[in-house]
Amino acid sequence: MSGKPVLHYVSVRGRMEPVKWLLAAAGVEFEERILKTKDDLQKLRTDGCLLFQQVPMVEIDGMKMVQTRAILNYIAGKYNLYGKDLKERALIDMYVGGTDDLMGFLLSFPFLSAEDKVKQCAFVVQKATSRYFPAYEKVLKDHGQDFLVGNRLSWADIHLLEAILMLEEKKSDALSGFPLLQAFKKRISSIPTIKKFLAPGSKRKPISDDKYVETVRRVLRMYYDVKPN
């Protein structure tokens, strides 16, 4: 295969959204093949496209890649968003892992009851402001550069911005008290490729809602029975 990467997923954010963020930040155009029914998913399985029988799946450079982290690793490396050496890559992995932990608290949010959403929102904000944001504020202060790692944009910056914006959808002043992260958000959001992705009409998916829940359950056959931590 050659040409644009092709992304196979349902029309929601979910686990494909970080892939779109990374491609968009790299200035790479991509196509989306939206799964609308469970039969669409089954066809990919029957055709042998899904190694572990699940999406996300990305067709890129002749491969049909599954497992979100593997996809992201490949894209970050391919488009020079993964540091200049092994040490920088280790730092990027560490920061991305921390951001993943924070984002994980939000993944099940749409599947919660209204009462539990209030509890989970308070829990996530508390975790972000007591553990994750102070850590990244310190990283920026100690590093003294515009970016988290080295002196250029990396996957770590892109992933953290995505998480910040996700949390601000729940609490608009989540960054109050973190001046370096506020400046970081403004700086990274202003990068032309990222600014384009954040603009109306881009391929960025809207905030997850009841339609998201219905789509995931109908197409991916996923059912969540979760409680806030």
Side-chain angles (χ1 to χ4, degrees), residues 27-40:
V28 178
E29 293 187 7
F30 57 87
E31 297 179 10
E32 293 185 89
R33 302 282 172 83
I34 303 300
L35 306 179
K36 297 180 180 179
T37 69
K38 62 177 186 257
D39 290 337
D40 293 337

Side-chain angles (χ1 to χ4, degrees), residues 1-7 19-33 58-61 75 78-79 193 196-197 202-203:
M1 173 189 165
S2 61
K4 300 177 183 178
V6 180
L7 282 51
V19 176
K20 289 188 283 186
W21 266 90
L22 209 52
L23 288 169
V28 178
E29 293 187 7
F30 57 87
E31 297 179 10
E32 293 185 89
R33 302 282 172 83
V58 174
E59 296 184 69
I60 185 170
D61 294 341
I75 293 170
K78 179 179 174 68
Y79 295 108
T193 54
K196 180 180 178 181
F197 186 62
S202 79
K203 291 183 178 179

Side-chain angles (χ1 to χ4, degrees), residues 139-203:
V139 169
L140 290 167
K141 180 180 180 181
D142 292 348
H143 187 42
Q145 301 291 332
D146 287 345
F147 307 104
L148 290 172
V149 179
N151 58 3
R152 66 181 183 185
L153 181 71
S154 77
W155 176 17
D157 303 305
I158 299 160
H159 208 46
L160 178 56
L161 176 62
E162 181 185 3
I164 287 171
L165 295 181
M166 284 176 64
L167 191 60
E168 286 185 333
E169 289 172 343
K170 303 289 184 283
K171 191 174 191 300
S172 60
D173 63 346
L175 281 185
S176 63
F178 300 100
L180 296 182
L181 280 175
Q182 292 175 32
F184 170 87
K185 172 194 164 186
K186 182 178 181 180
R187 187 165 58 247
I188 304 302
S189 297
S190 298
I191 293 172
T193 54
I194 295 177
K195 184 176 182 179
K196 180 180 178 181
F197 186 62
L198 292 173
S202 79
K203 291 183 178 179

Side-chain angles (χ1 to χ4, degrees), residues 55-189:
V55 289
M57 189 270 281
V58 174
E59 296 184 69
I60 185 170
D61 294 341
M63 298 182 290
K64 294 180 179 178
M65 295 194 70
V66 294
Q67 294 298 317
T68 308
R69 181 52 69 92
I71 295 167
L72 290 166
N73 285 346
Y74 184 79
I75 293 170
K78 179 179 174 68
Y79 295 108
N80 298 314
L81 295 168
Y82 213 173
K84 71 179 190 309
D85 56 30
L86 194 59
K87 183 177 179 179
E88 286 194 357
R89 181 167 291 197
L91 290 173
I92 290 168
D93 283 339
M94 183 168 67
Y95 299 153
V96 166
T99 302
D100 269 344
D101 290 345
L102 175 58
M103 292 173 72
F105 295 129
L106 293 167
L107 190 62
S108 62
F109 192 88
F111 298 86
L112 297 170
S113 68
E115 180 181 355
D116 285 341
K117 283 179 180 178
V118 174
K119 295 177 182 178
Q120 184 74 343
C121 182
F123 172 81
V124 174
V125 170
Q126 188 275 329
K127 284 291 185 183
T129 56
S130 66
R131 178 181 297 181
Y132 297 99
F133 288 172
Y136 290 122
E137 188 85 354
K138 183 178 187 301
V139 169
L140 290 167
K141 180 180 180 181
D142 292 348
H143 187 42
Q145 301 291 332
D146 287 345
F147 307 104
L148 290 172
V149 179
N151 58 3
R152 66 181 183 185
L153 181 71
S154 77
W155 176 17
D157 303 305
I158 299 160
H159 208 46
L160 178 56
L161 176 62
E162 181 185 3
I164 287 171
L165 295 181
M166 284 176 64
L167 191 60
E168 286 185 333
E169 289 172 343
K170 303 289 184 283
K171 191 174 191 300
S172 60
D173 63 346
L175 281 185
S176 63
F178 300 100
L180 296 182
L181 280 175
Q182 292 175 32
F184 170 87
K185 172 194 164 186
K186 182 178 181 180
R187 187 165 58 247
I188 304 302
S189 297

